[in-house]
Amino acid sequence: MLLIHCPYCNEERPELEFRHAGEAHIARPTNITAISDEEFTQFFFLRDNPKGIAFERWRHMHGCGRFFNAVRDTVTDKFVTTYEAGQPRPDLPAGGENEKGAGK
Amino acid sequence: MSGANRIAGAGRLTPAKKVRFSFDGEIYTALEGDTLASALLANGVHLMGRSFKYHRPRGVLGAGAEEPNALMGIERDASRQQPNVRATVQEVFEGMTAVSQNRWPSLAFDVGSVNNLLSPIFAAGFYYKTFMWPKIAWEKLYEPIIRGAAGLGVAPASADTDHYSSRYLHADVLIVGGGVSGLSAALAAAKTGASVILCDEQAQMGGALSYESGVSVDGVSGFDWASNAAAQLAALDNVRVLTRTTAFGYYAQNFVGLVERVTDHLADPRADMPRERLWQVRARQVILATGSIERHMVFANNDRPGIMLSSAARIYLNQYGVAVGTKVGVYTANDSAYETAFDLKRAGVSVEAIVDCRDNPGEGLLSTAADLGIQVLTGHSVVDTKGARRVSSMIVERNGGGARQTFAVDALIMSAGWTPSVHLYSQSRGKVVWDDGTQRFLPGECPQDCASVGACNGTDALQASIDEAIAAGVQAAVDCGKKPASTVITGEGAGDWTGGMAGSAAGAGADTTVKAFVDFQNDVTAKDIRLAVREGMHSIEHVKRFTTNGMASDQGKTSNIHGLAIAAEALNREIPQVGLTTFRAPYTPVTFGSIVNHGRGGLFDPARKTPFHDWEERHGAVFEDVGQWKRAWYYPRVGEDMHAAVNRECRTVRESAGLFDASTLGKIEVVGPDAAQFLDLMYTNGWSKLKPGRCKYGIMLREDGFIYDDGVVARIAEDRFHVTTTTGGAPRVLHHMEDYLQTEFPHLNVWLTSSSEQWAVIAVQGPKAREIIAPLVEGIDLSSEAMPHMSAREGRICGVPTRLFRVSFTGEAGYEINVPANYGPAVWDAVWAQAEPLGACVYGTETMHVLRAEKGFIIVGQDTDGTVTPHDAGLGWAIAKSKPDYVGIRGLMRPDLMADGRKQLIGLKTKDPNTVLEEGAQIVADPNQPVPMTMLGHVTSSYWSQNCGRSIAMALLVDGRAKMGQTFYVPMPDHTIEVEVSSTVFFDEKGERVNG
């Protein structure tokens, strides 16, 4: 079971308290009625599925209830960092485990 | 005497402490502390099981967790019967009953052993290739026969009456393995003050010190040192010592699962003791000191009872005082077997010969053998054995050929070398690295906060292991923020366990057809692995699955490296190029009981009960499960079946009134200055103009335009809404709202609070609803003028605060009385006391469903399925036309959602009013069209309506609203039902009754 650091509680808590909530940094267009079908498809239906570093939303469902963002390596499952919703993507050390990975 | 093969003065058991047990009906005597295996060997019983495929007679191979052969059933009573218990692990207790497995009619005479004669047709891949044709025979013939023959042991027929416990544990340092390395690491870490857990699967700490007779540590015998060290550690406040405890799984972030066997060794455990205890440990640092496991030699007929690992024979002698035979042969590729031979000889057992396939054994061994009078044949191999139910002779040949010599033996001990136990390291996602010098896989870099020490790390020398363990113990503590403390331990006198061989030995090579077993439990021979390679399996993962090598309950602890070496040789590649199969949890089999633990029966899944549950139970309700809720389904009176009860309830509600428990409705309190603006974004409807005291039916969409939930929302005040959701939708609707509030519309000043369980809700529906509640209500004018349909008031009922809604899910005039949950039962009693004399009834969810269907009210999730828009459901009126934005507004503009030809919700009337359609049934236009027919839609809701005197149904049908009055067909397996498309409103089409 993973331990996840909630950036609001500022504590590491067991995975069971959290719920995954999809890809991060996809903002709902403020002019949503004006966007084209292609733009809507891109916004609503299409998601990245990276091998390596992924930006995700999580919710501390059975804790403070807040949604936050996380950087996680999909190969190792490890959380690189977590940060509050609305914050920009953090700078990550170059290289790292995201490029290769040995998942089978 | 507790068995003829017990040697006086040998071992550590106390001769006076005898226990009796039975094996296959025979009564035997053992000593306290014996394992089932040592006790049977003491009594001269070597035949302990039959192999899985060929039913070959098998004896015990090992003396520990790695045992593949000696699997037995242990029976305490009818409900406590554990199959596939390793006799080498099970401790004997007074009165224990053990039975052999996989044989019929008896272990000594097993009809299934005919498979051994048929073995040429049972080669690897047999199942994949043989039972292919004809197709029908698989179901009728092959599968039943194979299922009958397959499997080991027999599952108990009744529920497990034992109980199991579960604990969480945090520690600075978890040390797995209580041999010399684990104990050294624990002593070193404990001295720093770190909190330490030390666990070992054996009944006592010591590991190899329990049988390595020449070792002394800090001036005392190795085993005495281990016992003292364990006692010293157990006495410390910062150390927890767990024996009989297996670390079975190593998960992310140093989360390790341990299972402690608490009562399996006790004759008469107290009733309050758990059989096993599951420890879920989170350790800041883990030290693996899991040792190594000896491998057998792979040669022809290496599986007869009496042929075993040399370390096992040494354990049986030095721990249990049992000689595994009277005339013992030794076959080795490694020095450690010599030590066993020497111990046996010194204990008075005749050692017929040491056959060493190497030309040059380790230093000093030959002279010691000569001193003891043991014949050593270097550069020789055992090429065959004889013996029916126990080995009777070994046949020895000089390497490269020559005359064969036969030695009469009644036991043959062997060693091909030692395999480091990297299982847990590998489970921690560590990659093993091939060490060319010693020809073995060793732990590489640790991906977690973990270290491997001693034999499992390839550190063979005793003092080196101790020093490595102490360093790791101190480092782990320092990494937890402790100050280092010095520990010194000195050990000497250990034999050298390095070296050995992997793969098939002489006489079992590529050009032979002998049965040289690699995996005993699954009957995989060296020949099978070569066949797999010939058949094109070039990956070790494929070889494993084709041959089943390493897939038995022992998970290949003795066989994996041999299988890999043989495959590599056949592929003409180096071992590391062929790779190693992945180690997965559990390390050894774990009972379902310990994993399921308390989560059985009523604790399997929590049942949610409303405040009225007890009343409903007392009044004869039949309950249905709705998610985790127990909901009253219907209330049968004496002599009534469900149909009769529901008909009566339906009629009574419309004729007088009914009470219904609506407490399970999801409820969310939406509060704040921007509450109306927020609801405008979350629902299709407009909320800003809704006046306090009024209610509105709301539809919630997902961003793609499909219906997500619905419910009535009451505006309690300018800045306060009481939102209701579907019973099942409450958590996800709140999650959905929170998501938008926190991440998309964080500028809105709104608070969301789940209040589902704070309110008990009594629906009072029917023409007499007002008459029923009026005497109980204070401060609210109930007249239709003052409180019309779809209004909400705050006041008091029976003296307690209420939010009283005038709403209807039945089409009747009615109220939903919300009161704080704790007052619920008292208010219900008072309302019922008013209602009953007026001829009202209490009704359940089935009647609720029928009444709402009579009015065409949808249930989200029944009449919609996640692909239905408000327009499809006939609810286009609920979409505000002038709002600039709401969740789903753009989705609804998608071309596919606006096109013709979508399925629309309509009513269906069967031509025969007495026929009730099946929900889910398909609708077609032409009943005579050949299959596959063109399906135009399906039935979503269907009931008998007593009030309409006919069946009613709702359905989703392509362009349904344009097809009113048209005839369609519902094909069933044996007949076709004719239906007519109608409005979804079947009763009170003008909707006047709600205003009554």
Side-chain angles (χ1 to χ4, degrees), chain A residues 66-97:
Chain A
R66 301 295 294 269
F67 285 82
F68 59 89
N69 293 332
V71 183
R72 195 174 61 91
D73 189 317
T74 60
V75 175
T76 63
D77 275 352
K78 281 184 185 166
F79 280 79
V80 179
T81 187
T82 57
Y83 52 104
E84 296 184 0
Q87 299 295 309
R89 281 187 171 83
D91 291 331
L92 295 171
E97 288 164 293

Side-chain angles (χ1 to χ4, degrees), chain B residues 427-462:
Chain B
Q427 286 180 28
S428 82
R429 290 195 152 186
K431 296 261 179 292
V432 293
V433 177
W434 178 253
D435 185 62
D436 221 29
T438 57
Q439 293 283 296
R440 58 192 175 181
F441 285 104
L442 294 175
E445 203 178 313
C446 286
Q448 301 200 29
D449 292 325
C450 167
S452 294
V453 297
C456 73
N457 196 37
T459 308
D460 299 311
L462 175 62

Side-chain angles (χ1 to χ4, degrees), chain A residues 1-3 19 26 28 32-33 35-37 40 43-45 57 59 61 65-67 75-76 78, chain B residues 252-253 255 282 429 447 703-704 735 738-740 742-744 884-887 889-890 893-895:
Chain A
M1 195 193 326
L2 294 170
L3 294 174
R19 173 171 165 175
I26 297 174
R28 185 175 186 269
I32 194 162
T33 52
I35 64 175
S36 68
D37 285 339
F40 182 75
F43 154 68
F44 186 73
F45 292 109
R57 299 187 327 132
R59 185 181 179 206
M61 188 85 176
R66 301 295 294 269
F67 285 82
V75 175
T76 63
K78 281 184 185 166
Chain B
Q253 289 172 291
F255 190 62
R282 182 81 70 173
R429 290 195 152 186
E703 204 70 82
D704 55 11
H735 181 72
E738 280 286 357
D739 192 351
Y740 278 96
Q742 289 183 32
T743 68
E744 298 292 355
D885 195 7
Y886 56 85
V887 173
I889 191 168
R890 181 59 184 81
M893 292 156 64
R894 293 190 289 147

Side-chain angles (χ1 to χ4, degrees), chain B residues 854-994:
Chain B
E854 288 174 350
K855 292 296 297 174
F857 298 147
I858 65 161
I859 289 183
V860 171
Q862 176 167 345
D863 301 298
T864 70
D865 61 3
T867 66
V868 176
T869 69
H871 300 290
D872 298 340
L875 299 169
W877 55 265
I879 298 176
K881 302 290 179 291
S882 56
K883 284 201 298 186
D885 195 7
Y886 56 85
V887 173
I889 191 168
R890 181 59 184 81
L892 284 176
M893 292 156 64
R894 293 190 289 147
D896 283 357
L897 269 57
M898 295 164 64
D900 287 340
R902 292 193 59 80
K903 289 179 184 172
Q904 296 173 330
L905 194 72
I906 43 86
L908 284 184
K909 287 179 175 169
T910 50
K911 289 283 166 79
D912 169 10
N914 292 314
T915 300
V916 180
L917 293 168
E918 276 192 34
E919 288 173 357
Q922 296 290 324
I923 301 164
V924 301
D926 174 7
N928 299 315
Q929 189 188 6
V931 174
M933 302 166 96
T934 308
M935 296 181 288
L936 301 175
H938 67 275
V939 178
T940 61
S941 291
S942 175
Y943 309 93
W944 171 257
S945 165
Q946 187 71 6
N947 290 313
C948 300
R950 58 158 302 122
S951 74
I952 57 169
M954 288 196 274
L956 284 165
L957 181 67
V958 171
D959 287 329
R961 283 199 292 275
K963 291 174 175 163
M964 288 297 145
Q966 293 182 23
T967 297
F968 286 88
Y969 300 90
V970 175
M972 302 304 291
D974 49 0
H975 65 294
T976 297
I977 302 167
E978 211 177 335
V979 297
E980 185 186 305
V981 178
S982 73
S983 151
T984 54
V985 183
F986 299 91
F987 185 83
D988 180 29
E989 288 198 32
K990 290 185 184 153
E992 289 165 339
R993 297 173 69 93
V994 289

Side-chain angles (χ1 to χ4, degrees), chain B residues 252 281 314 454 461 517 649 653 772 793 815 893 907 986 996:
Chain B
V281 178
R314 206 171 178 203
F517 287 91
E649 291 172 16
V653 173
I772 290 169
R793 297 287 180 272
Y815 300 87
M893 292 156 64
F986 299 91

Side-chain angles (χ1 to χ4, degrees), chain B residues 608 664-668 709 725-735 754 756:
Chain B
R608 301 176 74 183
T664 65
L665 273 183
K667 293 169 276 290
I668 300 168
D709 201 66
T725 75
T726 54
T727 291
R732 66 180 159 81
V733 169
L734 181 62
H735 181 72
S754 167
S756 299

